[in-house]
Amino acid sequence: EVQLVQSGAEVKKPGESLKISCKGSGNNFNNYWIAWVRQMPGKGLEWIGIIYPGDSETRYSPSFQGQVTISADKSITTAFLQWSSLKASDTATYYCTRQTRTAPYYFDYWGQGSLVIVSS
Amino acid sequence: SYELTQPPSVSVSPGQTARITCFGDKLGNKYVFWYQQKPGQSPVVVIHEDTERPSGVPERISGSNFGNTATLTISGTQALDEADYYCQAWDGNTAVFGGGTKLTVL
């Protein structure tokens, strides 16, 4: 069974750094693209970017390029999303999700979400 | 950048048909995917490739995509269908989501 298990809730102050994780189980995690999606409180879904853990090829939405860093460690079948300097506007729930292997691509498995609260 | 526009809310009586639209320029030339999200839960895909239902999704949920508008149709709407629904398409290598529609079953 495919599972994406995300790290727990975080409360941070503006300017602090943060790295959240998404650990995959099941076959062939490293052969699927893993995306990150933001959902601000009471708002909709926003696609941040995507990574292929097999070779760490990464693509970002223009809206998030330079604001976050997506990475992966294939040895532990885990993808990461990180910030070097958090802002209050980064407060949101962040989901990781697996993209299907064949086109047309969509997101078939989702993590449970990681709540990030940034407040002074 | 490409945009998908959904109505913020749709209301329907139990047993009636709910239609949720998603508008985008020449959207009919792209594949559209629909996700259902219930409060406190992660999204779940309910329609892929415009019209295809994943296993486990009831037949009363269907999709279409023509011209500039994709439509998610829920026939015989039930209380358990009350949720937020998001359309999604691709703009090159970037996934784009609609703003979401809150379906209320009155």
Side-chain angles (χ1 to χ4, degrees):
Chain A
E1 180 194 0
V2 175
Q3 280 195 308
L4 298 174
V5 179
Q6 298 186 228
S7 49
E10 301 272 3
V11 180
K12 307 292 278 186
K13 295 187 185 323
E16 292 185 332
S17 62
L18 176 65
K19 190 173 189 178
I20 62 175
S21 64
C22 168
K23 181 168 176 59
S25 62
N27 293 334
N28 296 320
F29 173 85
N30 292 330
N31 296 327
Y32 286 83
W33 289 83
I34 300 295
W36 286 95
V37 174
R38 182 176 79 174
Q39 187 167 39
M40 299 176 75
K43 302 299 183 182
L45 306 174
E46 300 172 273
W47 188 83
I48 297 171
I50 198 165
I51 190 165
Y52 188 76
D55 63 7
S56 289
E57 181 180 349
T58 308
R59 301 167 183 165
Y60 292 92
S61 161
S63 300
F64 289 92
Q65 180 84 46
Q67 307 304 308
V68 296
T69 301
I70 295 172
S71 61
D73 184 339
K74 65 180 181 181
S75 69
I76 55 172
T77 62
T78 301
F80 303 96
L81 178 65
Q82 68 181 92
W83 297 260
S84 59
S85 181
L86 286 160
K87 302 185 286 284
S89 58
D90 293 318
T91 295
T93 297
Y94 294 87
Y95 294 98
C96 63
T97 177
R98 190 184 82 165
Q99 179 178 286
T100 54
R101 285 194 74 175
T102 57
Y105 305 109
Y106 60 97
F107 305 110
D108 58 354
Y109 287 91
W110 293 69
Q112 82 277 20
S114 295
L115 175 62
V116 174
I117 297 173
V118 183
S119 174
S120 54
Chain B
S1 61
Y2 195 76
E3 293 186 0
L4 296 174
T5 301
Q6 299 180 234
S9 62
V10 168
S11 298
V12 64
S13 299
Q16 299 304 301
T17 297
R19 294 181 179 86
I20 298 172
T21 56
C22 175
F23 176 88
D25 185 47
K26 298 182 178 67
L27 186 57
N29 293 341
K30 302 176 183 289
Y31 280 116
V32 173
F33 313 91
W34 291 93
Y35 301 85
Q36 176 194 69
Q37 185 182 32
K38 296 185 178 181
Q41 297 184 20
S42 302
V44 174
V45 61
V46 292
I47 291 289
H48 60 91
E49 295 168 69
D50 296 341
T51 61
E52 301 299 308
R53 275 185 308 275
S55 60
V57 174
E59 290 184 9
R60 56 198 179 74
I61 294 179
S62 62
S64 64
N65 184 19
F66 301 105
N68 296 317
T69 305
T71 303
L72 180 72
T73 301
I74 306 175
S75 305
T77 306
Q78 302 178 11
L80 59 83
D81 298 319
E82 190 162 281
D84 294 326
Y85 292 86
Y86 297 90
C87 59
Q88 180 249 311
W90 288 94
D91 178 26
N93 286 328
T94 299
V96 179
F97 287 97
T101 298
K102 181 176 182 61
L103 176 65
T104 301
V105 183
L106 298 171

